[in-house]
């Protein structure tokens, strides 16, 4: 059976009604449903500190699954209309608090930081697989495919709002 933890976080002071907070809550519920019977630990807003450069990272959702390894999920509370266009992993935004976002690179940075901490233990060195997912719960897979974005974005594993998390699918890939 999986264990689920909600950590105190820097964004807990933000509005619980914001699209980002609502999307994170929905993803968290999907994670609890998908992983409830697995040998896993899942954390919502787990704080990561790196001694290298004194960096602080806070993955939206972090999962350690015995079979799948470490999974970092970056949640974006955006609609299809918020994305003007994409160039590889850079998404150019409209009516959003940032002009350019890179959720894949953000999640990858968090995963690399996490694995560098885990691999300090010699017994775990090169033994933990790492994966990333981007959650876009305000976007359906059909909306995504019908837009030009599907052809503009570099291959990115995405959880869409109209889909369940399928642990057997290729959605969970090694970075």
């Amino acid at each position: 059976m999986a264990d689920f933890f909600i950590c105190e976080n820097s964004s807990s002071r933000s509005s619980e009604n914001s699209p980002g907070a609502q999307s994170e809550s929905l993803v968290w519920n999907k994670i609890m449903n998908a992983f409830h019977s697995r040998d896993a630990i899942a954390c919502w807003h787990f704080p990561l500190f790196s001694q290298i450069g004194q960096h602080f990272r806070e993955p939206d959702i972090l999962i350690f699954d015995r079979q799948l390894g470490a999974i970092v999920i970056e949640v974006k509370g955006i609609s299809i209309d918020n994305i003007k266009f994409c160039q590889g992993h850079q998404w150019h935004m409209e009516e959003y608090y940032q002009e350019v976002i890179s959720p894949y690179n953000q999640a990858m940075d968090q995963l690399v930081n996490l694995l560098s901490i885990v691999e300090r233990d010699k017994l775990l060195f090169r033994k933990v697989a790492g994966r990333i997912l981007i959650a876009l719960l305000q976007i359906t897979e059909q909306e995504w495919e019908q837009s030009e974005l599907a052809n503009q974005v570099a291959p990115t594993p995405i959880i869409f709002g109209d889909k369940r998390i399928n642990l057997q699918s290729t959605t969970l890939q090694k970075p």
Side-chain angles (χ1 to χ4, degrees), residues 128-159:
V128 179
R131 306 162 196 276
I132 63 166
L133 293 168
I134 309 304
L136 304 174
L137 292 198
Q138 294 183 27
I139 300 173
T140 66
E141 187 172 24
Q142 183 178 6
E143 284 178 313
W144 185 264
E145 293 298 327
Q146 288 177 349
S147 73
E148 291 297 315
L149 299 173
N151 298 324
Q152 296 173 3
V153 172
T156 303
I158 298 174
I159 302 169

Side-chain angles (χ1 to χ4, degrees), residues 73-141:
I73 302 176
E74 179 60 31
V75 181
K76 294 297 179 194
I78 57 177
S79 72
I80 197 81
D81 295 329
N82 290 126
I83 308 170
K84 286 195 290 191
F85 66 94
C86 299
Q87 292 176 311
H89 290 301
Q90 289 193 334
W91 301 8
H92 296 262
M93 306 301 289
E94 193 166 71
E95 295 181 27
Y96 194 65
Y97 74 98
Q98 290 179 292
E99 289 183 25
V100 178
I101 63 172
S102 184
Y104 181 88
N105 291 340
Q106 185 177 352
M108 183 61 74
D109 288 347
Q110 294 167 350
L111 180 61
V112 167
N113 186 54
L114 171 71
L115 293 179
S116 72
I117 293 168
V118 169
E119 290 184 347
R120 290 179 194 158
D121 184 323
K122 292 177 186 174
L123 295 174
L124 296 176
F125 186 74
R126 303 280 188 232
K127 297 242 168 55
V128 179
R131 306 162 196 276
I132 63 166
L133 293 168
I134 309 304
L136 304 174
L137 292 198
Q138 294 183 27
I139 300 173
T140 66
E141 187 172 24

